[in-house]
């Protein structure tokens, strides 16, 4: 870990704090004062070797802060990337905890070689010390003291080990929380993830709206930002199914009839497809929450959960043969 310590002299570099609102996009900024297992970048903040931490000096001046992070994976996001002895990433999604000032804030699932995620949380003035140092940690789900052992046991074999290895920290934004946020009653699945209320494997195409496929077989429900969607006490998630696509073999005219037959078969199958089944709901801190509150109508399942205040929830779904579970929307209240 590197940091600025010891007595100051006239030859020391002047520490210039980040003054909100500010977008930090490189690891060369003077405000980045602490790095632990993070390699600084020139076009990104940096890349984590494994679970690690960054610390920024921020001139909050007694005001609350909203902190937004941009994370992503690429071909170098594997264990040992920094030594040249790389190991293939596991088949499951990465499960990351994001902590700040010693507290768990949100969690993220990243699925696939090229996935992106947003994290957003607020810090109160009391959580920001006089020296303005804001610390942000990225930890694998297997680490830390306040994650339920029941949850860790349920995740064995379903998530990639050493999930933070090689993850890129693309940017960090510090700003004051807006006075009033747009707060709809219903939010489609894709926007639920963009708002950081859920994490299901990485941000979908943000030019689209609609359902969010849940190919990881699980999704996270994060504590909602103050006065944002999901902060009213209870959230109902409407879950559906989508037929698996046809084989991605280049289409030819000789295959057109078989493709059309497959589409007709898939449509009939989806009419009779079973609704998604919620296996278990966990609090990261408290473990299994017992029998989930669900209602089923046709091939749609509605899951109602309490809006998490401090500890994210993990929703685990049973496989649906020949179909992919989807999140159609979230409804608050």
């Amino acid at each position: 870990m590197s940091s600025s310590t010891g007595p100051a002299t006239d030859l020391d570099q002047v520490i210039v704090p980040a003054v909100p609102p500010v977008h930090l996009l490189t690891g060369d900024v003077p405000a980045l004062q602490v790095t632990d297992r993070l390699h600084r970048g020139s076009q990104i903040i940096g890349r984590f070797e494994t679970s690690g931490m960054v610390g920024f000096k921020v001139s909050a001046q007694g005001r609350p802060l909203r902190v937004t992070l941009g994370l992503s994976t690429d071909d170098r996001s594997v264990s040992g990337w920094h030594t040249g002895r790389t190991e293939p990433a596991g088949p499951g999604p990465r499960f990351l905890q994001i902590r700040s000032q010693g507290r768990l804030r949100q969690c993220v699932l990243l699925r696939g070689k090229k996935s992106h995620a947003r994290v957003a949380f607020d810090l109160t003035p009391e959580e920001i010390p006089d020296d303005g140092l804001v610390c942000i940690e990225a930890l694998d789900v297997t680490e830390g003291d306040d994650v339920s052992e029941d949850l860790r046991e349920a995740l064995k074999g379903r998530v990639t080990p050493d999930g933070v290895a090689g993850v890129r920290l693309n940017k960090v934004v510090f700003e004051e929380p807006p006075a009033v946020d747009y707060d709809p009653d219903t939010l489609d699945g894709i926007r639920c993830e963009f708002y950081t209320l859920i994490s299901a494997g990485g941000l979908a195409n943000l030019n689209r709206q609609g359902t969010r496929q849940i190919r990881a077989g699980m999704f996270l429900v994060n504590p909602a930002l103050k006065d944002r969607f999901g902060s009213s006490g209870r959230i109902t998630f409407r879950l559906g199914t989508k037929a698996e696509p046809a084989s991605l073999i280049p289409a030819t005219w000789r295959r057109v009839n078989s493709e059309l037959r497959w589409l007709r078969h898939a449509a009939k199958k989806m009419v009779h497809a079973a609704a998604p089944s919620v296996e278990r709901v966990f609090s990261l801190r408290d473990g299994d929450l017992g029998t989930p509150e669900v209602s089923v109508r046709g091939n749609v399942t509605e899951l109602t959960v309490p809006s998490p205040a401090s500890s994210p929830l993990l929703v685990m779904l049973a496989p649906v043969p020949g179909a992919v579970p989807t999140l159609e929307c979230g409804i608050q209240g």
Side-chain angles (χ1 to χ4, degrees), residues 16-279:
V16 180
V19 181
V22 62
H23 291 234
L24 304 179
L25 306 173
T26 173
D28 297 331
V29 294
L32 179 52
Q33 287 292 293
V34 178
T35 60
D36 182 9
R37 289 175 290 184
L38 178 117
H39 291 237
R40 298 181 188 232
S42 58
Q43 296 180 325
I44 61 174
I45 298 294
R47 188 189 294 269
F48 289 102
E49 291 182 12
T50 182
S51 295
M53 180 179 70
V54 292
F56 298 89
K57 190 174 181 63
V58 183
S59 178
Q61 298 179 345
R63 297 168 296 182
L65 285 179
R66 176 157 297 174
V67 185
T68 305
L69 314 179
L71 303 168
S72 68
T73 60
D74 59 17
D75 290 337
R76 296 179 65 192
S77 300
V78 291
S79 295
W81 67 269
H82 56 291
T83 65
R85 298 190 300 273
T86 59
E87 301 175 5
R94 299 164 184 266
F95 195 130
L96 278 61
Q97 306 172 62
I98 304 299
R99 297 172 177 261
S100 181
Q101 310 303 71
R103 283 185 49 203
L104 177 61
R105 304 293 172 166
Q106 290 193 340
C107 287
V108 171
L109 289 175
L110 288 167
R111 180 181 177 275
K113 289 185 177 180
K114 294 186 178 181
S115 55
H116 296 257
R118 294 177 76 245
V119 175
F121 56 88
D122 291 339
L123 297 176
T124 65
E126 293 74 24
E127 293 178 302
I128 304 169
D130 293 340
D131 63 6
L133 187 63
V134 174
C135 293
I136 300 166
E137 297 174 271
L139 300 182
D140 186 79
V141 68
T142 59
E143 300 181 278
D145 298 329
D146 54 356
V147 176
S148 162
E149 289 303 321
D150 289 341
L151 179 139
R152 287 173 172 161
E153 185 66 28
L155 287 173
K156 282 186 176 178
R158 298 187 64 165
V159 296
T160 295
D162 196 13
V164 187
V167 169
R168 294 159 50 109
L169 177 57
N170 297 321
K171 67 177 180 179
V172 178
V173 179
F174 295 104
E175 58 190 340
E176 285 191 70
V180 178
D181 275 323
Y182 175 61
D183 192 20
D185 293 327
T186 302
L187 206 62
D188 65 64
I190 288 177
R191 297 294 157 175
C192 280
E193 191 153 23
F194 179 75
Y195 272 41
T196 76
L197 176 66
I198 73 153
S199 184
L203 294 173
N205 184 347
L206 297 182
N207 293 322
R208 297 169 47 204
Q209 297 186 20
T211 61
R212 174 66 168 99
Q213 295 185 25
I214 309 175
R215 290 192 170 274
M218 64 185 85
F219 67 95
L220 287 156
V221 184
N222 280 311
L225 297 172
K226 184 177 183 295
D227 298 326
R228 286 294 293 262
F229 183 90
S231 61
S232 60
R234 287 166 65 83
I235 313 169
T236 297
F237 293 104
R238 186 170 294 159
L239 304 166
T241 50
K242 177 180 175 61
E244 284 280 15
S247 177
L248 299 178
I249 301 172
T252 66
W253 284 109
R254 287 177 296 180
R255 293 185 63 247
V256 169
N257 285 336
S258 64
E259 293 288 345
L260 291 175
R261 285 197 299 272
W262 182 90
L263 288 171
R264 287 194 293 267
H265 170 72
K268 291 179 181 178
K269 182 170 62 175
M270 290 308 302
V271 170
H272 302 287
S277 176
V278 178
E279 286 186 331

